[in-house]
Amino acid sequence: MGSPTPILYFLLLILLVSLHHTPSFADKKKSYVVYLGSHSHDSSEMSSVDFNSVTNSHYEFLGSFLGSSDTAKDSIFYSYTRHINGFAANLKEEIAAEIAKHPKVLSVFENNGRKLHTTRSWGFMGLEDNYGVISSNSIWNKARFGDGVIIANLDTGVWPESKSFSDEGFGPIPSKWRGICGKGSDHGFHCNRKLIGARYFNKGYASRVTTPLNSTFETPRDNEGHGSHTLSTAGGNMVQGVNVFGQGNGTAKGGSPRARVASYKVCWPPVNGDECFDADILAAFDMAIHDGVDVLSLSLGGSASNLFNDSVAIGSFHAAKKGIVVVCSAGNSGPNEATAENLAPWYITVGASTMDREFPSYVVLGNNLRFKGESLSATRLKHKSYPIIKATDAKLASATIQDAVLCQNGTLDPNKVKGKIVLCLRGINARVDKGEQALLAGAVGMVLANDITTGNEILADPHVLPASHINFSDGVDVFKYVNSTKSPVAYITYPTTKLHTKPAPFMAAFSSKGPNTIVPEILKPDITAPGVSIIAAYTEAEGPTDQEFDKRRIQYNSISGTSMSCPHISGIVGLLKALYPSWSPAAIKSAIMTTATTLDNEAETILNATFIHTTPFSYGSGHVQPNKAMDPGLVYDTPTNDYVNFLCALGYNETQMSVFLKAPHQCHKKFNIINLNYPSITVPNLNRSVTVTRTLKNVGAPATYIVHVQNPNGITVSVKPNVLEFKHVGEEKRFEVKLKVKKGKATKSYVFGKLVWSDGKHYVKSPIVVKAI
């Protein structure tokens, strides 16, 4: 063998150089958030020079670990300078661990991702004519339709051209507003006297993607639809003649239609399934508090974590300190228990339930059996029967039965499907994607059947072909018919709109449930609201299915998820803010929770999607009743100091709390978490007996309230005193609730009861959740 050629020497040299410069695992950097608590300054009185000074202090602090402020400047991509004190930076793991030990640091956590809480992109899992939950205009009129209130969301941005955000009829922008219209490179984007502000935050997202972001990411515009939908549900204008492909026609309106709105874009195309990153969320919170918002709506979430490692928990605490009400979605991981997200006590966490409106589309079989499904398909079949085939009988030879039954991508054989209706099972891939797969294979229609876990929860989607989504039991019958018939045929009727349906509401199968996995003593979700087939504003940059194949464009769309129920509550909060501007976030939350109902429109306990009675782990305090929330009589108010004592009881020390508050704090040594003045009572580990304390504040006329108790199974509940007399507004009364295990009667599982204070006019209700040990 001859000597190596010069080319070979050159290749070997390149290899050696590349090996020499390949970074070890320890050298690799990740993006982190370093949380330093609060600022002592008032951001409204600070100049840009002052904010720069705060940023320089962050450079100096990180520089003490990295060797120089210049190195720190290259590492930090966010400096939180207004209300939240901290920064986000690209760091080596060992440096992050070293920083976490510093006494000035409350926490250091990875810049993790979160997801939007809409179900259309999940296989499993409002702006309707009367807002679904408001039965008359009484609260709207008294609250001036939310006039003067500023509602904002952290989401995918906003479509400013939507009529829901027109400023026709609006006066000057409120003087308290300090925000901007951050257009970025999108020169066509505009704000107005309705949509008064918009910003975008993408540096945390940029730190997690593999390629640099181009100019299309420099915009607050909603190219996905989710942000416009949620923002218009909370505070969109009244817009007449709204419908989705002719269905649900009526006047669209947000909960607070005269409120001003603002958008903080923090969510972007998914990276490994995550869309909204912690560093961006904290930056948006910091700026929104500074800008002067009154209500913040977050239809996003992630895996439950330590409260000081949770951007939503941190940001919302700083917001609550400034009187801002934060509303969060509970998540779409139901019906399994212990799946709820957004678990801190200082914001409102919302589950999703149905309303009394459906879009029925019937599946008619060759044996004349009819099954009611739902759909928002824009196309209709000719009035005749078509062959119907199970997806598993129509699969390609290369496809597995498990994939084919779900009508997953590339599983259907066009030779077997063409001209037929395909029967698909719900699960894994998006419902609308199943229809697309059927259409691509030549099907004329699709019947989508639930599995046993999704039960009776059927959703109206804007399918690309005639389709109907049927429940589990009806699906079983359709499968039986196809299996037992030599030449099965079927027909799918064109959808219609039906109101005043029963039973309603019932819990959506996708709605995440308690118990709380971080703080079991706090019941989550707090409340439920409409979150199924909600019609609201949409982007015109995407089709109604949000799938690449969908070239249709509509101005309003129907979507489901706790993403949709969350802004219903945000809109109601806006009305209460307008009506009672001096009320604290805790008082507003209490008014919403204690006036909720646990009954449906058949006067039965709210059911789940399989039509079994649910518990507070599904609906919290119940389904929201806005008109009653306007006049709650009494509220459970919670001062900020109580939340701090709550954190002390979780194990945070006085030094950490002093850093957190930027003021000395002495922890209340005897404070028990179960005594946080919360509108619900949860005792997860009851050993024999325990006494819980609560304080009620009168927000109505002088009155005498008498307590009524529904005992949980195996538990006796006694209240002392059992009568509370209030003589003036603002008066507070303390009471004790003793819970005692009945000998030999208690179970080791959670049981549920109720405590109600009533003066004959008001009914101030609290769920009781107990588990004996």
Side-chain angles (χ1 to χ4, degrees), residues 234-436:
N237 293 330
M238 297 185 183
V239 182
Q240 295 180 343
V242 167
N243 60 76
V244 179
F245 299 123
Q247 305 301 330
N249 191 66
T251 300
K253 46 185 172 283
S256 293
R258 294 296 295 175
R260 313 304 174 102
V261 297
S263 175
Y264 295 81
K265 184 175 182 177
V266 298
C267 302
W268 307 89
V271 177
N272 298 322
D274 293 322
E275 299 154 294
C276 330
F277 287 85
D278 284 326
D280 296 328
I281 291 170
L282 274 179
F285 262 114
D286 197 36
M287 201 58 74
I289 299 168
H290 169 79
D291 288 347
V293 305
D294 297 305
V295 184
L296 272 172
S297 189
L298 282 79
S299 291
L300 53 85
S303 300
S305 62
N306 177 304
L307 296 181
F308 276 175
N309 291 350
D310 181 334
S311 61
V312 174
I314 293 169
S316 59
F317 187 92
H318 287 272
K321 282 203 303 179
K322 292 296 180 179
I324 300 167
V325 183
V326 179
V327 186
C328 299
S329 48
N332 299 338
S333 299
N336 293 331
E337 293 196 346
T339 51
E341 302 169 14
N342 296 322
L343 302 173
W346 41 79
Y347 47 65
I348 306 172
T349 305
V350 190
S353 38
T354 65
M355 63 177 118
D356 61 348
R357 183 187 65 189
E358 296 175 352
F359 301 105
S361 169
Y362 289 85
V363 177
V364 184
L365 302 181
N367 59 6
N368 292 322
L369 288 178
R370 290 167 57 91
F371 301 100
K372 186 178 75 172
E374 288 201 50
S375 180
L376 284 169
S377 298
T379 55
R380 67 175 78 208
L381 290 172
K382 292 181 179 179
H383 196 76
K384 67 174 187 176
S385 293
Y386 296 83
I388 182 170
I389 187 171
K390 293 185 303 180
T392 49
D393 290 339
K395 79 179 189 71
L396 289 164
S398 58
T400 66
I401 291 176
Q402 292 82 358
D403 289 342
V405 72
L406 301 170
C407 293
Q408 294 210 57
N409 183 24
T411 61
L412 299 177
D413 186 341
N415 294 322
K416 299 175 183 177
V417 168
K418 188 175 181 180
K420 298 176 183 177
I421 294 171
V422 179
L423 178 56
C424 304
L425 189 68
R426 184 178 179 182
I428 308 300
N429 57 324
R431 300 179 302 275
V432 291
D433 179 61
K434 297 173 191 292
E436 169 68 3

Side-chain angles (χ1 to χ4, degrees), residues 70-301:
D70 287 340
T71 305
K73 190 172 183 179
D74 292 336
S75 178
I76 290 176
F77 56 87
Y78 276 128
S79 174
Y80 307 125
T81 60
R82 269 69 175 174
H83 296 270
I84 300 168
N85 189 5
F87 56 86
N90 294 309
L91 302 168
K92 294 179 182 178
E93 189 172 340
E94 62 269 24
I95 296 295
E98 188 179 346
I99 294 171
K101 299 174 185 176
H102 195 281
K104 288 185 178 181
V105 175
L106 276 171
S107 63
V108 177
F109 54 96
E110 282 191 46
N111 171 35
N112 290 316
R114 296 168 184 270
K115 295 179 175 65
L116 297 167
H117 284 158
T118 174
T119 70
R120 66 178 171 193
S121 46
W122 299 85
F124 172 70
M125 310 244 354
L127 290 186
E128 49 283 1
D129 189 51
N130 66 350
Y131 195 62
V133 291
I134 297 181
S135 57
S136 73
N137 281 338
S138 59
I139 186 171
W140 270 340
N141 288 330
K142 290 187 178 181
R144 306 181 311 280
F145 296 87
D147 189 23
V149 173
I150 301 172
I151 299 176
N153 68 349
L154 272 60
D155 214 297
T156 64
V158 63
W159 190 259
E161 292 82 6
S162 172
K163 292 179 181 178
S164 289
F165 309 120
S166 165
D167 67 355
E168 183 178 350
F170 281 84
I173 293 171
S175 59
K176 67 179 181 180
W177 179 244
R178 294 189 295 272
I180 64 169
C181 190
K183 300 180 180 183
S185 63
D186 187 348
H187 302 299
F189 189 94
H190 65 273
C191 298
N192 54 34
R193 292 168 299 174
K194 171 69 176 181
L195 175 62
I196 60 175
R199 298 179 187 263
Y200 63 93
F201 303 86
N202 61 19
K203 294 177 183 178
Y205 176 78
S207 73
R208 295 295 300 270
V209 298
T210 56
T211 56
L213 302 184
N214 59 35
S215 61
T216 63
F217 288 87
E218 297 172 4
T219 175
R221 182 175 293 279
D222 178 15
N223 292 315
E224 196 267 2
H226 189 277
S228 302
H229 198 282
T230 58
L231 189 59
S232 63
T233 302
N237 293 330
M238 297 185 183
V239 182
Q240 295 180 343
V242 167
N243 60 76
V244 179
F245 299 123
Q247 305 301 330
N249 191 66
T251 300
K253 46 185 172 283
S256 293
R258 294 296 295 175
R260 313 304 174 102
V261 297
S263 175
Y264 295 81
K265 184 175 182 177
V266 298
C267 302
W268 307 89
V271 177
N272 298 322
D274 293 322
E275 299 154 294
C276 330
F277 287 85
D278 284 326
D280 296 328
I281 291 170
L282 274 179
F285 262 114
D286 197 36
M287 201 58 74
I289 299 168
H290 169 79
D291 288 347
V293 305
D294 297 305
V295 184
L296 272 172
S297 189
L298 282 79
S299 291
L300 53 85

